[in-house]
Amino acid sequence: MKVLAINSSPRGKDQSKTELLLDSLVEGMRSADADVEVVHLRAKKINYCIGCYTCWTKTPGQCVFKDDMTRELLPKFLESDLAIFATPLYHFGVNAQLKTFIERTLPAIEPFLIEHNGKTSHPMRGRHPLMVALSVAGFPEYSIFDQMSSQLRQIYKRALVAEIYRPASETLVQPAFEKVRVDILDAVKQAGVEIVQNLKVSDDTMKRIVQPVIDLKTMCAGANMLWQTYIDAGVTPKEAMEKK
Ligand SMILES: Cc1cc2nc3c(=O)[nH]c(=O)nc-3n(C[C@H](O)[C@H](O)[C@H](O)COP(=O)(O)O)c2cc1C
């Protein structure tokens, strides 16, 4: 299985919880013999879609831009059997980097409309990969991912074979949560194995990934104290981490 993992977190490995989880998922997939390539959108130049529809009319399937999306990413995406979208939750949805990527896949969609059971969609132009979504969020409640999940399911429908969402992501790296972090990352690795072998994540594995790690009140109190410490010291979270 050829897998393309697309990481849209702007933060580097030292800080990113998206990448922390993605590393485990990829490790699991590779251990099940998948051929996985990871690309980091933060290192790529991708223009916004300008809505000119040239890719639907004058040059079907071809975008007007020549950038990392047309030269590298879209061909790789369409050649893969499975693509992973790994994104931090930003304002209840995928972040702008990933949204820009998604919008620039327009050349791989046909302009024509199909109506099915009262719902409208576009046919795909050629073959598309199956999809996995992976995301992390600061807030502790799982429902924080509802809008993102709904949007991705609307776009990718049955091609979206697995959704791996981990709330309270920032707590995971704190020493007090060491044990639970190890279990969650091991479960994400197991999810990688299961996706390659069965194209789905089992209920038991999913339960371990989403296990509650902290109650809402404790989370709010702890987070508020931490932010106040950063504000008082005049440092960003990254600077505070580096000072330690
Ligand atoms: C611009 C921005 C918007 C965010 N929006 C949300 C949000 O809507 N809900 C939430 O729970 N966390 C939100 N967060 C927190 C991030 O999802 C969280 O810190 C996550 O770990 C970031 O991923 P990363 O560690 O890979 O950078 C936001 C963070 C930023 C910077």
Side-chain angles (χ1 to χ4, degrees), residues 43-171:
K44 305 291 173 189
K45 279 262 350 128
I46 307 178
N47 292 305
Y48 297 127
C49 174
I50 52 169
C52 64
Y53 294 115
T54 303
C55 65
W56 278 7
T57 52
K58 287 164 75 172
T59 57
Q62 297 299 318
C63 179
V64 287
F65 289 122
K66 296 278 168 283
D67 59 6
D68 289 336
M69 188 68 186
T70 46
R71 285 198 199 97
E72 180 199 349
L73 299 174
L74 188 56
K76 274 186 180 164
F77 175 73
L78 295 174
E79 279 159 22
S80 63
D81 300 308
L82 186 126
I84 304 166
F85 281 168
T87 177
L89 188 80
Y90 276 8
H91 295 80
F92 306 101
V94 303
N95 73 350
Q97 290 87 331
L98 182 60
K99 188 66 178 5
T100 302
F101 177 98
I102 292 172
E103 289 170 14
R104 287 289 308 282
T105 60
L106 201 73
I109 298 165
E110 299 265 7
F112 308 106
L113 304 188
I114 324 173
E115 185 276 330
H116 184 67
N117 285 343
K119 295 212 166 159
T120 318
S121 63
H122 295 290
M124 296 292 149
R125 196 190 294 280
R127 170 188 175 278
H128 276 239
L130 295 173
M131 302 294 309
V132 169
L134 179 149
S135 187
V136 298
F139 289 0
E141 62 273 26
Y142 189 75
S143 60
I144 203 76
F145 295 103
D146 287 354
Q147 285 78 12
M148 173 191 282
S149 172
S150 162
Q151 184 182 32
L152 292 174
R153 280 185 284 120
Q154 176 89 38
I155 302 172
Y156 296 105
K157 304 186 173 62
R158 275 178 307 168
L160 184 63
V161 294
E163 296 177 89
I164 296 169
Y165 300 140
R166 181 57 242 179
S169 59
E170 300 290 354
T171 56

